[in-house]
Amino acid sequence: MSILKYQQLPGPVRISLAILLWSLILWLFTLGHAGFVPVARLIFLIFVVPYAVAEWLKMKKLLSGKKLDYVRVALMVCAVAIWWLWLKK
């Protein structure tokens, strides 16, 4: 199957496939290594989810250009703050 076929999929489907792929990669990364689970969660919650939200906003044509880059960083900073507060519980 050619990768070009995936470029013709609607935006939400591509975002969902990317999230599923990252979930699978991080799950495989943690198999047999329970100590890596917090790191996998950190990667998923701080990098994957905010980037997917930013891509969704881009797909809805709410953001573009430099604003999109700033929103990605802001979402990641918010995710770090949530992660930090969650760890303190």
Side-chain angles (χ1 to χ4, degrees), residues 45-85:
L45 293 174
I46 292 180
F47 296 110
V48 176
V49 172
Y51 199 87
V53 170
E55 286 299 314
W56 180 78
L57 292 171
K58 176 183 162 187
M59 178 196 65
K60 292 291 184 181
K61 298 187 190 311
L62 296 174
L63 295 171
S64 64
K66 284 288 186 187
K67 288 182 185 177
L68 182 62
D69 295 335
Y70 294 135
V71 168
R72 280 184 186 143
V73 172
L75 287 170
M76 287 180 189
V77 168
C78 290
V80 168
I82 291 169
W83 178 261
W84 180 255
L85 291 173

mmCIF file of all heavy atoms in Angstrom, residues 45-85:
data_model
loop_
_atom_site.group_PDB
_atom_site.id
_atom_site.type_symbol
_atom_site.label_atom_id
_atom_site.label_comp_id
_atom_site.label_asym_id
_atom_site.label_seq_id
_atom_site.Cartn_x
_atom_site.Cartn_y
_atom_site.Cartn_z
ATOM 1 N N LEU A 45 1.154 12.353 26.402
ATOM 2 C CA LEU A 45 0.354 13.474 26.889
ATOM 3 C C LEU A 45 0.972 14.838 26.607
ATOM 4 O O LEU A 45 0.251 15.827 26.467
ATOM 5 C CB LEU A 45 0.090 13.323 28.386
ATOM 6 C CG LEU A 45 -0.801 12.143 28.764
ATOM 7 C CD1 LEU A 45 -0.881 12.012 30.272
ATOM 8 C CD2 LEU A 45 -2.176 12.296 28.167
ATOM 9 N N ILE A 46 2.291 14.917 26.537
ATOM 10 C CA ILE A 46 2.932 16.214 26.353
ATOM 11 C C ILE A 46 3.226 16.516 24.890
ATOM 12 O O ILE A 46 3.221 17.688 24.497
ATOM 13 C CB ILE A 46 4.204 16.307 27.218
ATOM 14 C CG1 ILE A 46 3.783 16.335 28.679
ATOM 15 C CG2 ILE A 46 5.022 17.534 26.868
ATOM 16 C CD1 ILE A 46 4.905 16.420 29.652
ATOM 17 N N PHE A 47 3.462 15.512 24.085
ATOM 18 C CA PHE A 47 3.805 15.775 22.684
ATOM 19 C C PHE A 47 2.721 15.367 21.698
ATOM 20 O O PHE A 47 2.370 16.137 20.806
ATOM 21 C CB PHE A 47 5.125 15.075 22.328
ATOM 22 C CG PHE A 47 6.288 15.597 23.095
ATOM 23 C CD1 PHE A 47 6.893 14.831 24.058
ATOM 24 C CD2 PHE A 47 6.773 16.873 22.865
ATOM 25 C CE1 PHE A 47 7.966 15.313 24.786
ATOM 26 C CE2 PHE A 47 7.840 17.367 23.586
ATOM 27 C CZ PHE A 47 8.436 16.588 24.550
ATOM 28 N N VAL A 48 2.173 14.167 21.845
ATOM 29 C CA VAL A 48 1.247 13.642 20.840
ATOM 30 C C VAL A 48 -0.115 14.338 20.919
ATOM 31 O O VAL A 48 -0.631 14.821 19.901
ATOM 32 C CB VAL A 48 1.095 12.116 20.979
ATOM 33 C CG1 VAL A 48 0.075 11.578 20.017
ATOM 34 C CG2 VAL A 48 2.451 11.440 20.762
ATOM 35 N N VAL A 49 -0.714 14.397 22.083
ATOM 36 C CA VAL A 49 -2.057 14.963 22.213
ATOM 37 C C VAL A 49 -2.093 16.452 21.854
ATOM 38 O O VAL A 49 -2.937 16.867 21.054
ATOM 39 C CB VAL A 49 -2.642 14.681 23.618
ATOM 40 C CG1 VAL A 49 -3.946 15.418 23.820
ATOM 41 C CG2 VAL A 49 -2.829 13.186 23.818
ATOM 42 N N PRO A 50 -1.195 17.295 22.392
ATOM 43 C CA PRO A 50 -1.240 18.716 21.995
ATOM 44 C C PRO A 50 -1.003 18.930 20.500
ATOM 45 O O PRO A 50 -1.640 19.783 19.886
ATOM 46 C CB PRO A 50 -0.130 19.372 22.821
ATOM 47 C CG PRO A 50 0.046 18.490 23.981
ATOM 48 C CD PRO A 50 -0.232 17.108 23.483
ATOM 49 N N TYR A 51 -0.110 18.143 19.912
ATOM 50 C CA TYR A 51 0.136 18.279 18.480
ATOM 51 C C TYR A 51 -1.108 17.886 17.685
ATOM 52 O O TYR A 51 -1.446 18.531 16.692
ATOM 53 C CB TYR A 51 1.325 17.413 18.069
ATOM 54 C CG TYR A 51 1.916 17.823 16.749
ATOM 55 C CD1 TYR A 51 2.890 18.808 16.693
ATOM 56 C CD2 TYR A 51 1.499 17.248 15.555
ATOM 57 C CE1 TYR A 51 3.441 19.200 15.491
ATOM 58 C CE2 TYR A 51 2.036 17.639 14.349
ATOM 59 C CZ TYR A 51 3.008 18.613 14.321
ATOM 60 O OH TYR A 51 3.528 19.006 13.128
ATOM 61 N N ALA A 52 -1.811 16.847 18.138
ATOM 62 C CA ALA A 52 -3.038 16.422 17.457
ATOM 63 C C ALA A 52 -4.122 17.498 17.580
ATOM 64 O O ALA A 52 -4.847 17.766 16.615
ATOM 65 C CB ALA A 52 -3.532 15.101 18.037
ATOM 66 N N VAL A 53 -4.232 18.122 18.742
ATOM 67 C CA VAL A 53 -5.209 19.206 18.917
ATOM 68 C C VAL A 53 -4.877 20.370 17.994
ATOM 69 O O VAL A 53 -5.769 20.944 17.350
ATOM 70 C CB VAL A 53 -5.269 19.659 20.395
ATOM 71 C CG1 VAL A 53 -6.083 20.930 20.559
ATOM 72 C CG2 VAL A 53 -5.826 18.551 21.262
ATOM 73 N N ALA A 54 -3.595 20.728 17.904
ATOM 74 C CA ALA A 54 -3.182 21.814 17.013
ATOM 75 C C ALA A 54 -3.472 21.465 15.554
ATOM 76 O O ALA A 54 -3.920 22.323 14.779
ATOM 77 C CB ALA A 54 -1.703 22.125 17.207
ATOM 78 N N GLU A 55 -3.240 20.231 15.174
ATOM 79 C CA GLU A 55 -3.543 19.814 13.799
ATOM 80 C C GLU A 55 -5.043 19.852 13.525
ATOM 81 O O GLU A 55 -5.470 20.196 12.434
ATOM 82 C CB GLU A 55 -2.997 18.408 13.525
ATOM 83 C CG GLU A 55 -1.508 18.365 13.363
ATOM 84 C CD GLU A 55 -1.017 19.206 12.195
ATOM 85 O OE1 GLU A 55 -1.600 19.132 11.095
ATOM 86 O OE2 GLU A 55 -0.064 19.957 12.392
ATOM 87 N N TRP A 56 -5.838 19.530 14.529
ATOM 88 C CA TRP A 56 -7.281 19.598 14.374
ATOM 89 C C TRP A 56 -7.717 21.053 14.170
ATOM 90 O O TRP A 56 -8.573 21.334 13.333
ATOM 91 C CB TRP A 56 -7.957 18.979 15.587
ATOM 92 C CG TRP A 56 -9.444 18.996 15.506
ATOM 93 C CD1 TRP A 56 -10.237 18.156 14.791
ATOM 94 C CD2 TRP A 56 -10.309 19.910 16.165
ATOM 95 N NE1 TRP A 56 -11.548 18.496 14.966
ATOM 96 C CE2 TRP A 56 -11.626 19.570 15.798
ATOM 97 C CE3 TRP A 56 -10.109 20.980 17.024
ATOM 98 C CZ2 TRP A 56 -12.729 20.268 16.271
ATOM 99 C CZ3 TRP A 56 -11.206 21.672 17.488
ATOM 100 C CH2 TRP A 56 -12.496 21.323 17.112
ATOM 101 N N LEU A 57 -7.132 21.970 14.945
ATOM 102 C CA LEU A 57 -7.435 23.395 14.773
ATOM 103 C C LEU A 57 -7.012 23.886 13.393
ATOM 104 O O LEU A 57 -7.704 24.692 12.773
ATOM 105 C CB LEU A 57 -6.751 24.216 15.867
ATOM 106 C CG LEU A 57 -7.287 24.012 17.286
ATOM 107 C CD1 LEU A 57 -6.400 24.712 18.297
ATOM 108 C CD2 LEU A 57 -8.722 24.490 17.384
ATOM 109 N N LYS A 58 -5.883 23.374 12.909
ATOM 110 C CA LYS A 58 -5.425 23.722 11.563
ATOM 111 C C LYS A 58 -6.390 23.189 10.516
ATOM 112 O O LYS A 58 -6.728 23.892 9.560
ATOM 113 C CB LYS A 58 -4.025 23.146 11.338
ATOM 114 C CG LYS A 58 -3.471 23.355 9.958
ATOM 115 C CD LYS A 58 -2.117 22.668 9.844
ATOM 116 C CE LYS A 58 -1.715 22.474 8.407
ATOM 117 N NZ LYS A 58 -0.496 21.673 8.304
ATOM 118 N N MET A 59 -6.859 21.971 10.713
ATOM 119 C CA MET A 59 -7.786 21.361 9.768
ATOM 120 C C MET A 59 -9.107 22.126 9.717
ATOM 121 O O MET A 59 -9.709 22.279 8.661
ATOM 122 C CB MET A 59 -8.033 19.910 10.167
ATOM 123 C CG MET A 59 -9.008 19.177 9.302
ATOM 124 S SD MET A 59 -9.567 17.682 10.102
ATOM 125 C CE MET A 59 -10.443 18.332 11.501
ATOM 126 N N LYS A 60 -9.547 22.648 10.858
ATOM 127 C CA LYS A 60 -10.776 23.433 10.925
ATOM 128 C C LYS A 60 -10.572 24.864 10.432
ATOM 129 O O LYS A 60 -11.494 25.664 10.456
ATOM 130 C CB LYS A 60 -11.306 23.471 12.366
ATOM 131 C CG LYS A 60 -11.790 22.147 12.860
ATOM 132 C CD LYS A 60 -13.047 21.764 12.123
ATOM 133 C CE LYS A 60 -13.619 20.486 12.659
ATOM 134 N NZ LYS A 60 -14.813 20.085 11.960
ATOM 135 N N LYS A 61 -9.333 25.167 10.019
ATOM 136 C CA LYS A 61 -8.957 26.486 9.502
ATOM 137 C C LYS A 61 -9.127 27.593 10.542
ATOM 138 O O LYS A 61 -9.427 28.732 10.217
ATOM 139 C CB LYS A 61 -9.728 26.816 8.234
ATOM 140 C CG LYS A 61 -9.441 25.854 7.104
ATOM 141 C CD LYS A 61 -10.080 26.297 5.827
ATOM 142 C CE LYS A 61 -10.051 25.308 4.732
ATOM 143 N NZ LYS A 61 -9.005 24.604 4.292
ATOM 144 N N LEU A 62 -8.914 27.244 11.798
ATOM 145 C CA LEU A 62 -8.945 28.233 12.868
ATOM 146 C C LEU A 62 -7.576 28.865 13.079
ATOM 147 O O LEU A 62 -7.484 29.974 13.596
ATOM 148 C CB LEU A 62 -9.435 27.590 14.168
ATOM 149 C CG LEU A 62 -10.869 27.066 14.142
ATOM 150 C CD1 LEU A 62 -11.180 26.321 15.426
ATOM 151 C CD2 LEU A 62 -11.844 28.209 13.936
ATOM 152 N N LEU A 63 -6.523 28.143 12.697
ATOM 153 C CA LEU A 63 -5.153 28.629 12.867
ATOM 154 C C LEU A 63 -4.323 28.288 11.641
ATOM 155 O O LEU A 63 -4.581 27.300 10.957
ATOM 156 C CB LEU A 63 -4.502 27.972 14.088
ATOM 157 C CG LEU A 63 -5.101 28.289 15.442
ATOM 158 C CD1 LEU A 63 -4.491 27.397 16.488
ATOM 159 C CD2 LEU A 63 -4.890 29.735 15.797
ATOM 160 N N SER A 64 -3.311 29.099 11.417
ATOM 161 C CA SER A 64 -2.355 28.802 10.352
ATOM 162 C C SER A 64 -1.091 29.603 10.580
ATOM 163 O O SER A 64 -1.060 30.527 11.397
ATOM 164 C CB SER A 64 -2.954 29.124 8.976
ATOM 165 O OG SER A 64 -3.213 30.498 8.882
ATOM 166 N N GLY A 65 -0.057 29.245 9.874
ATOM 167 C CA GLY A 65 1.212 29.985 9.917
ATOM 168 C C GLY A 65 1.868 29.991 11.275
ATOM 169 O O GLY A 65 1.920 28.988 11.981
ATOM 170 N N LYS A 66 2.377 31.164 11.655
ATOM 171 C CA LYS A 66 3.093 31.307 12.931
ATOM 172 C C LYS A 66 2.183 31.092 14.128
ATOM 173 O O LYS A 66 2.623 30.598 15.163
ATOM 174 C CB LYS A 66 3.732 32.705 13.025
ATOM 175 C CG LYS A 66 4.968 32.856 12.194
ATOM 176 C CD LYS A 66 6.087 32.083 12.831
ATOM 177 C CE LYS A 66 7.375 32.351 12.060
ATOM 178 N NZ LYS A 66 8.437 31.495 12.532
ATOM 179 N N LYS A 67 0.908 31.482 14.005
ATOM 180 C CA LYS A 67 -0.021 31.284 15.114
ATOM 181 C C LYS A 67 -0.122 29.810 15.476
ATOM 182 O O LYS A 67 -0.199 29.459 16.646
ATOM 183 C CB LYS A 67 -1.410 31.813 14.755
ATOM 184 C CG LYS A 67 -1.509 33.301 14.709
ATOM 185 C CD LYS A 67 -2.926 33.717 14.391
ATOM 186 C CE LYS A 67 -3.016 35.211 14.218
ATOM 187 N NZ LYS A 67 -4.371 35.639 13.845
ATOM 188 N N LEU A 68 -0.107 28.951 14.479
ATOM 189 C CA LEU A 68 -0.192 27.512 14.712
ATOM 190 C C LEU A 68 1.018 27.032 15.511
ATOM 191 O O LEU A 68 0.874 26.249 16.452
ATOM 192 C CB LEU A 68 -0.288 26.758 13.391
ATOM 193 C CG LEU A 68 -0.431 25.249 13.471
ATOM 194 C CD1 LEU A 68 -1.723 24.871 14.183
ATOM 195 C CD2 LEU A 68 -0.387 24.641 12.099
ATOM 196 N N ASP A 69 2.194 27.529 15.184
ATOM 197 C CA ASP A 69 3.402 27.149 15.922
ATOM 198 C C ASP A 69 3.317 27.593 17.375
ATOM 199 O O ASP A 69 3.673 26.847 18.290
ATOM 200 C CB ASP A 69 4.645 27.748 15.270
ATOM 201 C CG ASP A 69 4.901 27.186 13.891
ATOM 202 O OD1 ASP A 69 4.454 26.052 13.623
ATOM 203 O OD2 ASP A 69 5.545 27.884 13.081
ATOM 204 N N TYR A 70 2.842 28.821 17.598
ATOM 205 C CA TYR A 70 2.716 29.325 18.966
ATOM 206 C C TYR A 70 1.683 28.535 19.763
ATOM 207 O O TYR A 70 1.889 28.258 20.950
ATOM 208 C CB TYR A 70 2.352 30.809 18.960
ATOM 209 C CG TYR A 70 3.429 31.702 18.389
ATOM 210 C CD1 TYR A 70 3.117 32.699 17.488
ATOM 211 C CD2 TYR A 70 4.759 31.530 18.737
ATOM 212 C CE1 TYR A 70 4.098 33.523 16.956
ATOM 213 C CE2 TYR A 70 5.756 32.337 18.208
ATOM 214 C CZ TYR A 70 5.415 33.335 17.320
ATOM 215 O OH TYR A 70 6.393 34.140 16.793
ATOM 216 N N VAL A 71 0.596 28.167 19.113
ATOM 217 C CA VAL A 71 -0.436 27.388 19.799
ATOM 218 C C VAL A 71 0.086 25.999 20.143
ATOM 219 O O VAL A 71 -0.190 25.479 21.227
ATOM 220 C CB VAL A 71 -1.726 27.316 18.951
ATOM 221 C CG1 VAL A 71 -2.692 26.282 19.490
ATOM 222 C CG2 VAL A 71 -2.386 28.675 18.888
ATOM 223 N N ARG A 72 0.854 25.397 19.251
ATOM 224 C CA ARG A 72 1.447 24.082 19.554
ATOM 225 C C ARG A 72 2.308 24.157 20.802
ATOM 226 O O ARG A 72 2.207 23.315 21.699
ATOM 227 C CB ARG A 72 2.296 23.601 18.381
ATOM 228 C CG ARG A 72 1.521 23.014 17.268
ATOM 229 C CD ARG A 72 2.433 22.483 16.193
ATOM 230 N NE ARG A 72 1.635 22.053 15.052
ATOM 231 C CZ ARG A 72 1.991 22.199 13.800
ATOM 232 N NH1 ARG A 72 3.140 22.752 13.498
ATOM 233 N NH2 ARG A 72 1.210 21.784 12.833
ATOM 234 N N VAL A 73 3.165 25.168 20.869
ATOM 235 C CA VAL A 73 4.044 25.330 22.032
ATOM 236 C C VAL A 73 3.217 25.614 23.282
ATOM 237 O O VAL A 73 3.476 25.044 24.354
ATOM 238 C CB VAL A 73 5.084 26.439 21.777
ATOM 239 C CG1 VAL A 73 5.863 26.756 23.037
ATOM 240 C CG2 VAL A 73 6.022 26.039 20.651
ATOM 241 N N ALA A 74 2.208 26.478 23.162
ATOM 242 C CA ALA A 74 1.366 26.800 24.318
ATOM 243 C C ALA A 74 0.624 25.558 24.817
ATOM 244 O O ALA A 74 0.517 25.345 26.033
ATOM 245 C CB ALA A 74 0.373 27.896 23.952
ATOM 246 N N LEU A 75 0.118 24.748 23.907
ATOM 247 C CA LEU A 75 -0.563 23.520 24.309
ATOM 248 C C LEU A 75 0.398 22.559 24.995
ATOM 249 O O LEU A 75 0.034 21.891 25.969
ATOM 250 C CB LEU A 75 -1.220 22.848 23.102
ATOM 251 C CG LEU A 75 -2.468 23.535 22.547
ATOM 252 C CD1 LEU A 75 -2.869 22.900 21.216
ATOM 253 C CD2 LEU A 75 -3.610 23.451 23.535
ATOM 254 N N MET A 76 1.612 22.486 24.507
ATOM 255 C CA MET A 76 2.602 21.608 25.141
ATOM 256 C C MET A 76 2.966 22.122 26.533
ATOM 257 O O MET A 76 3.127 21.330 27.466
ATOM 258 C CB MET A 76 3.835 21.478 24.259
ATOM 259 C CG MET A 76 3.603 20.623 23.055
ATOM 260 S SD MET A 76 5.083 20.484 22.050
ATOM 261 C CE MET A 76 4.424 19.686 20.608
ATOM 262 N N VAL A 77 3.084 23.439 26.689
ATOM 263 C CA VAL A 77 3.377 24.022 28.004
ATOM 264 C C VAL A 77 2.217 23.734 28.965
ATOM 265 O O VAL A 77 2.451 23.371 30.125
ATOM 266 C CB VAL A 77 3.657 25.535 27.881
ATOM 267 C CG1 VAL A 77 3.675 26.209 29.237
ATOM 268 C CG2 VAL A 77 4.967 25.768 27.144
ATOM 269 N N CYS A 78 0.991 23.873 28.490
ATOM 270 C CA CYS A 78 -0.175 23.541 29.329
ATOM 271 C C CYS A 78 -0.164 22.061 29.707
ATOM 272 O O CYS A 78 -0.482 21.711 30.846
ATOM 273 C CB CYS A 78 -1.460 23.892 28.601
ATOM 274 S SG CYS A 78 -1.743 25.651 28.431
ATOM 275 N N ALA A 79 0.202 21.207 28.769
ATOM 276 C CA ALA A 79 0.272 19.772 29.051
ATOM 277 C C ALA A 79 1.342 19.472 30.095
ATOM 278 O O ALA A 79 1.141 18.620 30.966
ATOM 279 C CB ALA A 79 0.537 18.990 27.767
ATOM 280 N N VAL A 80 2.461 20.166 30.022
ATOM 281 C CA VAL A 80 3.520 19.992 31.035
ATOM 282 C C VAL A 80 3.006 20.417 32.399
ATOM 283 O O VAL A 80 3.248 19.740 33.404
ATOM 284 C CB VAL A 80 4.793 20.783 30.650
ATOM 285 C CG1 VAL A 80 5.762 20.861 31.804
ATOM 286 C CG2 VAL A 80 5.455 20.164 29.441
ATOM 287 N N ALA A 81 2.278 21.538 32.456
ATOM 288 C CA ALA A 81 1.730 22.007 33.730
ATOM 289 C C ALA A 81 0.740 20.993 34.295
ATOM 290 O O ALA A 81 0.767 20.690 35.494
ATOM 291 C CB ALA A 81 1.064 23.367 33.540
ATOM 292 N N ILE A 82 -0.124 20.454 33.444
ATOM 293 C CA ILE A 82 -1.082 19.437 33.899
ATOM 294 C C ILE A 82 -0.350 18.195 34.367
ATOM 295 O O ILE A 82 -0.679 17.622 35.405
ATOM 296 C CB ILE A 82 -2.091 19.118 32.768
ATOM 297 C CG1 ILE A 82 -2.998 20.321 32.530
ATOM 298 C CG2 ILE A 82 -2.897 17.870 33.098
ATOM 299 C CD1 ILE A 82 -3.833 20.226 31.284
ATOM 300 N N TRP A 83 0.664 17.777 33.615
ATOM 301 C CA TRP A 83 1.459 16.604 34.000
ATOM 302 C C TRP A 83 2.124 16.833 35.358
ATOM 303 O O TRP A 83 2.117 15.961 36.219
ATOM 304 C CB TRP A 83 2.496 16.319 32.913
ATOM 305 C CG TRP A 83 3.394 15.179 33.231
ATOM 306 C CD1 TRP A 83 4.659 15.248 33.741
ATOM 307 C CD2 TRP A 83 3.117 13.792 33.087
ATOM 308 N NE1 TRP A 83 5.176 13.994 33.913
ATOM 309 C CE2 TRP A 83 4.245 13.082 33.526
ATOM 310 C CE3 TRP A 83 2.016 13.090 32.631
ATOM 311 C CZ2 TRP A 83 4.297 11.703 33.503
ATOM 312 C CZ3 TRP A 83 2.078 11.713 32.613
ATOM 313 C CH2 TRP A 83 3.202 11.034 33.050
ATOM 314 N N TRP A 84 2.685 18.006 35.545
ATOM 315 C CA TRP A 84 3.385 18.322 36.798
ATOM 316 C C TRP A 84 2.398 18.308 37.968
ATOM 317 O O TRP A 84 2.698 17.751 39.026
ATOM 318 C CB TRP A 84 4.065 19.676 36.694
ATOM 319 C CG TRP A 84 4.796 20.050 37.936
ATOM 320 C CD1 TRP A 84 4.414 20.951 38.870
ATOM 321 C CD2 TRP A 84 6.027 19.498 38.411
ATOM 322 N NE1 TRP A 84 5.326 21.007 39.893
ATOM 323 C CE2 TRP A 84 6.321 20.122 39.630
ATOM 324 C CE3 TRP A 84 6.894 18.530 37.913
ATOM 325 C CZ2 TRP A 84 7.453 19.815 40.351
ATOM 326 C CZ3 TRP A 84 8.029 18.241 38.648
ATOM 327 C CH2 TRP A 84 8.300 18.871 39.848
ATOM 328 N N LEU A 85 1.223 18.902 37.788
ATOM 329 C CA LEU A 85 0.228 18.908 38.854
ATOM 330 C C LEU A 85 -0.291 17.500 39.133
ATOM 331 O O LEU A 85 -0.586 17.151 40.278
ATOM 332 C CB LEU A 85 -0.927 19.839 38.480
ATOM 333 C CG LEU A 85 -0.576 21.328 38.462
ATOM 334 C CD1 LEU A 85 -1.741 22.134 37.916
ATOM 335 C CD2 LEU A 85 -0.156 21.815 39.822
#
